[in-house]
Amino acid sequence: MVRNEVVWRRLVFVVLIIASLAILTVSFRESESGPVHAVQQAGLSLLSPLQSWGARAAEPFQDGYGWIRTLWSAHQEVERLAAELQELQGEAVKLKEQAEENQRLKSLLDLRDKATFPEGTDFEVARVTGKSPTRWEAWIQIDKGSADGIRVDQPVVGATPTAGESLAGKGLVGKVTAVTAHSAQVQLITDSESSVAAKIQGPRAEGIVEGSVSGTLTMDFVDRDIPDVEPKLVVVTSGFGGIYPPAIPIGIVAEVGEEDVNIYKKIEVQAFVDFRVLEEVMVLILPGA
Amino acid sequence: MGRRRLIVVGKVLLLLVIAVALQTLIVSRVSVLGVTADLFLIFTVVVAMGRGSMEGAIFGFFAGLIADVAFFQPLGVRALIYVLAGYFVGMFVARFGMMTPWGVLFLAGGTSFVAQFVFGLFQYIMGPQADFLTMVGTQMLPEAILDALIAVPVYALLVRLRVIRAPGVSPATGRSGAE
């Protein structure tokens, strides 16, 4: 009896291992329209409304959490106001959330108006509903999909709370890498697999901005002989990659390094967008795409 | 299938649904030490501790498939890792027993660390490359600690709710289930 149970348990284990390996193999070998990908797409379509709803439901709580955290020190100093604040907290959280959302959307509109996008570009504003669970990858999930005109390889821009009237805080986020009917995955420019053709305003030095697992951006392949490449210069897309249109702001030069054995400069770029606090983004639907 | 067996399957299925809901609605939006907890793995470990290696492996397989969908991974990666996690945690508990909170903490943390190591190895083979020690410090260790800390109350709650039983006790046979 015990012997049978042991054999049965091992059999189930082996079957599960084989099933996992089989699914994994098929998942890698089949095309994007294959059955395993179709199952995954269907699963995502089921989960994305849940995530979208979760994102909306969690917003007041996150805002409340942020409010408590940032005001904690002040809260202790003005203890006598605590009772009154408690009463007003619910209303304040709601109003603050609306104001911040307005500010973020205004920043996106500002980016749309001030940055030079190709004529005829359409803009689809989307809410961030999920983020990559590990540092190995850097992506976000948004609540717009093919039903809203989103397609793979469309560029995505965004604005974060540091954004003022200038372009600081507003810039390139990444590109769409997977789409379902009502959601899409956006690979961030900080992803280690991401590379963006870029140039530095001023000296017009061209290179490739690459992400990394640590989250830093590096501009590589910039010729050592190009002079006047200095910190604080603005890095924008060059438009040569075919995916990103030219002149989308990416960030500023943070540090310029040169090695004797390397024919290229090694430039560290500080992204305009703070990817940790990204809540809304704008997908660029380019003309003719 | 007996009534008792049906109830067990129902409870485990319910657990899977709860894991999906909690992970997608709450846990994936909360970042601690720069990482987010993996409830699918935590529940797999807890089920394996409470119900044995076979149930742990089966739960891990389905939890892994759902995690692959939710985390945009190639289907089968996490399924494979969680099957291994569920099976070996179940075997370990059956052989040595894991009744204390410290035992649950270390076993969950250790399993999370090993699972992430295997996942990291897969990532390394597939493309993204990173310094091993950096990833240990910024991803594997913080998540292992977070997963371990969450596993203890989850385990205690599920034992209290009788969704799983304390390890070493089989209501049907009284055996530990060790091979």
Side-chain angles (χ1 to χ4, degrees):
Chain A
M1 182 70 179
V2 175
R3 181 80 189 150
N4 282 344
E5 197 179 312
V6 170
V7 170
W8 175 241
R9 189 184 305 155
R10 285 181 179 168
L11 187 68
V12 169
F13 176 62
V14 170
V15 166
L16 290 174
I17 291 290
I18 291 171
S20 301
L21 287 171
I23 292 169
L24 188 58
T25 308
V26 174
S27 177
F28 272 107
R29 291 188 69 88
E30 72 172 13
S31 67
E32 290 287 320
S33 56
V36 170
H37 281 85
V39 168
Q40 191 157 20
Q41 294 281 317
L44 262 177
S45 298
L46 281 174
L47 284 178
S48 58
L50 195 66
Q51 287 173 312
S52 184
W53 182 83
R56 285 169 195 277
E59 263 178 21
F61 297 102
Q62 285 182 322
D63 198 65
Y65 173 68
W67 183 87
I68 289 165
R69 200 173 57 171
T70 52
L71 287 186
W72 179 245
S73 55
H75 177 78
Q76 284 180 317
E77 290 173 23
V78 291
E79 205 167 343
R80 63 187 177 82
L81 294 174
E84 188 182 340
L85 281 173
Q86 287 283 334
E87 286 174 21
L88 295 172
Q89 184 179 351
E91 190 63 26
V93 165
K94 192 177 164 188
L95 291 172
K96 189 162 183 275
E97 179 60 25
Q98 286 171 346
E100 283 185 3
E101 189 172 4
N102 285 341
Q103 184 59 43
R104 290 196 304 267
L105 293 173
K106 185 174 170 290
S107 296
L108 283 174
L109 288 174
D110 195 38
L111 173 65
R112 190 187 70 176
D113 294 340
K114 286 190 176 170
T116 53
F117 298 114
E119 204 171 302
T121 301
D122 270 340
F123 302 89
E124 188 66 46
V125 175
R127 187 184 295 266
V128 176
T129 57
K131 291 178 180 175
S132 49
T134 72
R135 288 174 192 264
W136 288 100
E137 302 160 307
W139 52 257
I140 53 172
Q141 189 181 351
I142 58 175
D143 67 348
K144 294 286 170 68
S146 54
D148 308 288
I150 309 296
R151 302 283 180 269
V152 167
D153 280 345
Q154 283 172 339
V156 179
V157 295
T160 44
T162 48
E165 286 303 307
S166 72
L167 282 176
K170 307 162 191 171
L172 187 64
V173 167
K175 65 175 181 182
V176 176
T177 48
V179 181
T180 67
H182 299 291
S183 71
Q185 185 188 23
V186 177
Q187 180 193 52
L188 303 181
I189 55 173
T190 50
D191 186 275
S192 60
E193 299 284 289
S194 164
S195 55
V196 183
K199 62 184 165 192
I200 301 171
Q201 286 185 340
R204 313 304 289 170
E206 288 172 359
I208 305 286
V209 172
E210 295 167 333
S212 67
V213 172
S214 61
T216 55
L217 287 177
T218 307
M219 188 166 177
D220 208 350
F221 304 110
V222 176
D223 205 313
R224 268 182 70 169
D225 299 333
I226 297 177
D228 302 328
V229 176
E230 291 166 355
K232 306 286 182 198
L233 291 174
V234 173
V235 180
V236 297
T237 53
S238 67
F240 290 147
I243 290 175
Y244 303 101
I248 300 179
I250 297 174
I252 57 165
V253 174
E255 199 177 319
V256 182
E258 286 182 15
E259 295 166 355
D260 291 339
V261 292
N262 198 338
I263 59 169
Y264 301 114
K265 292 177 192 291
K266 197 84 171 176
I267 298 169
E268 198 175 306
V269 177
Q270 173 74 50
F272 280 133
V273 175
D274 185 351
F275 298 99
R276 297 167 303 176
V277 292
L278 206 53
E279 292 187 56
E280 283 96 11
V281 294
M282 204 158 56
V283 182
L284 306 187
I285 302 173
L286 300 171
Chain B
M1 190 183 283
R3 189 167 173 272
R4 187 191 292 267
R5 194 76 182 160
L6 270 177
I7 291 172
V8 170
V9 172
K11 281 179 178 177
V12 173
L13 273 177
L14 185 65
L15 213 54
L16 202 56
V17 172
I18 291 170
V20 174
L22 288 179
Q23 182 75 44
T24 52
L25 288 176
I26 302 169
V27 176
S28 64
R29 306 190 64 81
V30 180
S31 174
V32 180
L33 301 172
V35 295
T36 51
D38 185 351
L39 270 191
F40 295 116
L41 180 64
I42 293 170
F43 275 40
T44 299
V45 169
V46 167
V47 167
M49 282 178 186
R51 303 222 69 91
S53 56
M54 191 171 79
E55 287 85 347
I58 294 171
F59 186 90
F61 178 74
F62 289 107
L65 285 180
I66 295 170
D68 283 331
V69 169
F71 297 153
F72 287 96
Q73 298 293 332
L75 218 55
V77 178
R78 286 178 193 266
L80 180 63
I81 294 171
Y82 294 179
V83 165
L84 292 168
Y87 186 77
F88 287 111
V89 167
M91 292 292 293
F92 185 89
V93 171
R95 186 148 300 185
F96 300 105
M98 262 302 146
M99 309 282 280
T100 68
W102 284 110
V104 175
L105 187 89
F106 284 115
L107 190 53
T111 306
S112 173
F113 188 85
V114 173
Q116 285 180 80
F117 181 81
V118 176
F119 182 74
L121 206 61
F122 175 81
Q123 291 283 354
Y124 191 82
I125 293 167
M126 294 310 297
Q129 300 194 353
D131 178 57
F132 174 74
L133 287 178
T134 306
M135 290 311 288
V136 167
T138 59
Q139 171 67 45
M140 297 181 194
L141 213 51
E143 190 174 327
I145 292 169
L146 187 61
D147 288 350
L149 291 174
I150 293 175
V152 176
V154 167
Y155 176 80
L157 183 69
L158 294 183
V159 169
R160 176 66 64 90
L161 294 175
R162 297 188 179 185
V163 178
I164 58 171
R165 60 178 182 266
V169 181
S170 170
T173 64
R175 286 194 302 273
S176 71
E179 290 185 22

